[in-house]
Amino acid sequence: MSYYKINDLENYFKMYKKSVREPRKFWDKIADENFSWYQRWDKVFEFDIEEAQFKWFTNAKVNIVKNCIDRHLNKRGDKTAIIFEPNNPEEEAQHITYNELYVKVAKMANVLKSQGIKKGDRVCIYLPMIPELAVAVLACARIGAIHSVVFAGFSSTALSSRINDSQCKMVITSDGGFRGNKTINLKGIVDEALKDCPSVEKVLVAKRTNENIAIKEGRDLWLQPLLDEALDNHVAEIMDAEDPLFILYTSGSTGKPKGMVHTTAGYMVYTAYTFKNVFNYEENDVYWCTADIGWITGHSYIVYGPLLNGATTVMFEGVPSYPDFSRFWQVIEKHKVTQFYTAPTAIRALAKESVDYVKGFPLSSLKVIGSVGEPINEEAWHWYNDHVGGKRCPLVDTWWQTETGGIMISPIPFVTPTKPTYASLPLPGIQPVLMDELRNEIEGNQVTGSLCIKFPWPSMARTIWGDHERYKQTYFSAYPGKYFTGDGALRDEVGYYRITGRVDDVIIVSGHNLGTAPIEDTINEHPAVAESAIVGFPHDVKGNALYGFVILKESGESRNQDNLRNEINNLIADKIGPISKLDKIQFVNGLPKTRSGKIMRRILRKIAEGEDGNFGDITTLLNPEIVEEIKNGKL
Ligand code: WTA
């Protein structure tokens, strides 16, 4: 019996029990049988939860890209590794075979080296969803440089703070990018960001939109001529199991974004294993995840997970609404996609449009459909299951996080019976627990609590770049001895998990995690603003939208309120990115505060949600009268 593939429910329970009883044996066998190593590990894992120190496959030597590409070349050299589907359907799709991918990555690796990048250096990648993005990621990993991909929708300020936090030596970008009918001038954003980034020595520029852009002598280089000149083979760097593979920034509830650090071997083993099982991947499948590689979903399940399994993975440059709302279904038909993995916000946006957009397509190639990024509501679940999955494809609602590296709780298709809105059961090796307010583990079923994981798993983030203390505090202090996810969950009568949402100050808008603090800090930078608080409120398409309560300084009170609202939103778009703009801004005279000065967001949340009375106990507030006043002014 292979440990790598779960065949039926009985087999799942057997595997699960084994993974809990004998985690060493379980992971040892999976790692041993399915990857190519330069040197084996001394220990499968070692950890000290108190200090938040974790090691997997200690002292093993490996290169993840050799596992993604080189070892497939004998058997699958001519097989398509990446299908690139451009933004404009009239532009031809590209099919990149494993042989071709090898050459592209080898050339890029040689370019990086010739431009002074060494093992351990940080390289920032700020690219649209074009093949160069996947190639750049793989080339970094091949030479042991640590990639830090920044989603190309972020502003120059967000980009520069990420570059500076990890002291990147190089930025890889493009002249621009296409998204629907928009063209985005990425190089301009990079130029702006780099005014403030002394660590960056070189900028490599891929060509995509062919617009005129500025090239700074001595710093900026067009990528293509360098690739043309570069040697087409490269010996992969030998990496230690625990060498950092990448940094990926995620919003925290407070302060600046956290640079989550993922390391090599554990991440490799876990993403490969989960890709195979959660998507029921088989040799000739064509797998498509619609995420951007700028997010963890793209790292783990567009690039690494699929390529580690020798799969064909689709990279889509565009958006679901361009040229019209049937684009997803057209692409599925065109490439005969077998697994389709997207986000609830996309499903909700499409479900709002005429069902004829999807009905015209049989989608008979599909085998499994998946969801990720936020809770999928019942209506969206059924729409997706009925109209896309045709009630015949299992819908895998996959719960996980940037920090977890890979999928943690999910049905296994054709194995776990699905239940609408439930991520269902933990994958082997994952031990979720629910905790009550007194920090006790809640036993039994039909209970709700804070979701923690009580045993380490291979792909967990190892630290926050440059700030291990923050890592320890954020994830391992709320519930001593356990990893705290920041999510709440309920466990039903058979032990299925349903994720109910964040229990901290992170708000998920269209699948993007937004921390309240950095947005409030930005609003407060506006010269007319004295103080602000933002909360989420339910939104049909985005899941949640942002509602801001803003106190103005005297100087602002005479100003036109709509102009102020626009200025505040422009400031946010500029400093953080357009995703973080507020849907509603209410100007108020005060915010409900506790005697210790803490804003009671619980109350603001209820007001934003349209609750009329029931605000719970407000007698502990410093200024209880403000609650009624804010409620009366609700937008
Ligand atoms: C939320 C994305 C409910 C959750 C992979 C988590 C989900 C956060 C689901 C992580 C799901 C993700 N059901 N909620 N299937 N998947 N979430 O870091 O709140 O971008 O903590 O990673 O998204 O978002 P992140």
Side-chain angles (χ1 to χ4, degrees):
M1 182 177 62
S2 160
Y3 273 40
Y4 197 57
K5 176 82 199 294
I6 298 160
N7 302 306
D8 55 35
L9 203 54
E10 192 189 336
N11 181 220
Y12 161 78
F13 283 116
K14 219 164 138 185
M15 287 296 177
Y16 188 79
K17 281 192 193 122
K18 175 116 195 159
S19 77
V20 172
R21 247 194 349 252
E22 300 178 287
R24 277 180 211 283
K25 268 200 184 147
F26 180 77
W27 290 113
D28 184 85
K29 211 164 156 63
I30 288 176
D32 185 55
E33 289 177 354
N34 300 289
F35 303 90
S36 138
W37 304 86
Y38 300 110
Q39 183 185 301
R40 303 277 136 159
W41 42 96
D42 301 334
K43 288 197 181 121
V44 176
F45 55 78
E46 303 171 81
F47 61 86
D48 175 348
I49 292 201
E50 229 81 306
E51 288 307 315
Q53 301 285 357
F54 306 92
K55 282 186 179 173
W56 282 80
F57 309 107
T58 318
N59 293 331
K61 303 284 180 248
V62 69
N63 185 289
I64 191 169
V65 180
K66 195 174 164 214
N67 278 276
C68 285
I69 304 177
D70 307 29
R71 73 178 164 129
H72 302 312
L73 294 181
N74 267 339
K75 237 174 89 188
R76 305 186 181 98
D78 292 325
K79 178 178 173 176
T80 301
I82 296 177
I83 298 177
F84 170 62
E85 171 66 25
N87 178 60
N88 181 347
E90 278 161 25
E91 186 182 331
E92 212 175 317
Q94 288 178 34
H95 292 250
I96 302 167
T97 65
Y98 274 90
N99 280 329
E100 290 163 345
L101 186 62
Y102 174 84
V103 170
K104 282 180 187 288
V105 172
K107 280 177 166 274
M108 182 78 92
N110 288 323
V111 167
L112 294 180
K113 294 216 85 156
S114 70
Q115 294 304 320
I117 300 299
K118 303 181 305 293
K119 180 173 177 173
D121 286 344
R122 276 78 60 207
V123 173
C124 173
I125 303 176
Y126 187 72
L127 277 170
M129 280 287 283
I130 55 176
E132 284 86 344
L133 171 50
V135 170
V137 160
L138 294 163
C140 285
R142 191 166 184 95
I143 67 170
I146 303 169
H147 56 79
S148 167
V149 183
V150 176
F151 172 58
F154 275 119
S155 70
S156 58
T157 321
L159 175 62
S160 71
S161 73
R162 285 160 175 76
I163 291 173
N164 286 331
D165 182 71
S166 47
Q167 294 286 293
C168 296
K169 246 172 105 172
M170 173 184 275
V171 178
I172 306 177
T173 188
S174 67
D175 47 359
F178 298 121
R179 259 179 94 74
N181 47 26
K182 283 194 234 144
T183 305
I184 300 148
N185 175 0
L186 293 178
K187 178 62 168 47
I189 299 174
V190 170
D191 288 341
E192 186 61 34
L194 293 190
K195 286 183 180 159
D196 205 16
C197 298
S199 63
V200 174
E201 294 166 11
K202 289 273 157 62
V203 179
L204 304 184
V205 189
K207 215 171 218 167
R208 177 60 183 142
T209 54
N210 279 316
E211 279 167 299
N212 264 337
I213 55 156
I215 289 284
K216 188 170 168 186
E217 272 311 301
R219 186 194 70 182
D220 303 349
L221 295 159
W222 285 107
L223 181 59
Q224 196 55 51
L226 297 174
L227 291 172
D228 292 342
E229 301 267 289
L231 282 180
D232 61 3
N233 59 63
H234 175 270
V235 181
E237 190 78 32
I238 297 177
M239 304 299 290
D240 186 82
E242 283 298 334
D243 278 338
L245 173 64
F246 64 85
I247 303 170
L248 187 60
Y249 288 86
T250 184
S251 305
S253 50
T254 54
K256 56 178 192 175
K258 300 170 285 193
M260 305 310 307
V261 178
H262 282 283
T263 60
T264 305
Y267 178 84
M268 173 182 84
V269 169
Y270 195 75
T271 53
Y273 172 73
T274 50
F275 174 77
K276 171 83 177 164
N277 284 295
V278 173
F279 298 105
N280 188 44
Y281 171 72
E282 282 161 28
E283 182 64 38
N284 293 314
D285 289 346
V286 175
Y287 163 91
W288 180 22
C289 165
T290 68
D292 192 289
I293 294 176
W295 309 114
I296 190 69
T297 307
H299 281 61
S300 301
Y301 299 109
I302 295 178
V303 181
Y304 289 114
L307 297 179
L308 285 164
N309 281 280
T312 299
T313 178
V314 177
M315 259 183 94
F316 175 47
E317 184 185 29
V319 293
S321 55
Y322 180 83
D324 68 38
F325 290 99
S326 66
R327 185 67 191 277
F328 274 0
W329 327 127
Q330 285 175 25
V331 174
I332 292 174
E333 291 292 346
K334 178 172 171 188
H335 299 298
K336 299 277 165 280
V337 169
T338 43
Q339 287 93 348
F340 178 68
Y341 190 31
T342 195
T345 184
I347 296 301
R348 287 191 299 263
L350 294 169
K352 270 186 90 128
E353 304 299 325
S354 163
V355 76
D356 292 342
Y357 281 118
V358 56
K359 278 221 165 123
F361 299 89
L363 306 180
S364 54
S365 57
L366 284 179
K367 193 167 77 171
V368 176
I369 57 176
S371 169
V372 60
E374 59 185 307
I376 179 163
N377 51 306
E378 187 117 19
E379 224 182 317
W381 195 97
H382 284 293
W383 190 91
Y384 193 25
N385 187 60
D386 296 0
H387 297 300
V388 182
K391 296 189 185 164
R392 89 196 146 72
C393 305
L395 192 173
V396 292
D397 177 1
T398 64
W399 174 82
W400 59 297
Q401 310 177 294
T402 304
E403 294 86 338
T404 69
I407 297 167
M408 303 286 277
I409 304 181
S410 169
I412 294 168
F414 313 107
V415 171
T416 323
T418 61
K419 174 174 175 181
T421 76
Y422 282 77
S424 82
L425 298 172
L427 296 181
I430 305 306
Q431 301 187 36
V433 286
L434 296 179
M435 308 297 290
D436 68 17
E437 282 165 9
L438 299 172
R439 302 173 182 217
N440 297 317
E441 194 173 322
I442 310 170
E443 307 276 345
N445 287 341
Q446 279 189 303
V447 292
T448 58
S450 290
L451 180 64
C452 289
I453 313 290
K454 73 170 176 192
F455 196 82
W457 63 99
S459 66
M460 63 198 300
R462 300 295 194 264
T463 191
I464 292 174
W465 184 264
D467 198 350
H468 194 70
E469 190 54 33
R470 185 172 179 204
Y471 172 76
K472 206 166 113 180
Q473 282 302 325
T474 311
Y475 303 108
F476 297 94
S477 70
Y479 301 92
K482 298 184 175 63
Y483 167 81
F484 174 46
T485 65
D487 283 328
L490 78 78
R491 190 162 55 218
D492 78 356
E493 61 289 350
V494 297
Y496 271 29
Y497 287 88
R498 173 192 195 166
I499 312 304
T500 47
R502 302 290 309 183
V503 294
D504 56 11
D505 287 335
V506 172
I507 305 170
I508 303 192
V509 177
S510 299
H512 304 305
N513 299 3
L514 307 178
T516 50
I519 301 176
E520 288 167 1
D521 291 347
T522 304
I523 301 172
N524 298 347
E525 279 178 29
H526 189 287
V529 172
E531 199 182 354
S532 63
I534 59 172
V535 295
F537 70 99
H539 185 281
D540 276 1
V541 172
K542 301 182 194 178
N544 295 295
L546 300 182
Y547 193 123
F549 298 90
V550 175
I551 307 177
L552 293 177
K553 291 181 190 157
E554 266 173 38
S555 62
E557 286 178 353
S558 56
R559 304 262 312 267
N560 175 306
Q561 296 208 335
D562 280 337
N563 286 350
L564 270 176
R565 288 191 178 97
N566 284 337
E567 286 174 23
I568 290 172
N569 266 334
N570 290 340
L571 191 64
I572 294 172
D574 217 42
K575 295 269 165 164
I576 305 174
I579 321 161
S580 304
K581 283 196 195 175
L582 311 185
D583 269 39
K584 294 185 180 175
I585 300 178
Q586 178 181 349
F587 296 106
V588 296
N589 291 316
L591 293 166
K593 291 198 175 164
T594 62
R595 276 165 212 283
S596 59
K598 199 169 173 307
I599 298 171
M600 286 277 263
R601 285 167 206 284
R602 176 173 62 77
I603 294 173
L604 295 174
R605 214 172 287 135
K606 286 195 166 169
I607 294 177
E609 285 166 4
E611 180 117 12
D612 216 18
N614 188 18
F615 296 113
D617 183 10
I618 60 170
T619 54
T620 57
L621 287 182
L622 202 60
N623 50 350
E625 71 292 342
I626 199 73
V627 175
E628 197 61 22
E629 190 184 316
I630 297 178
K631 196 191 87 188
N632 292 336
K634 183 186 174 291
L635 300 173

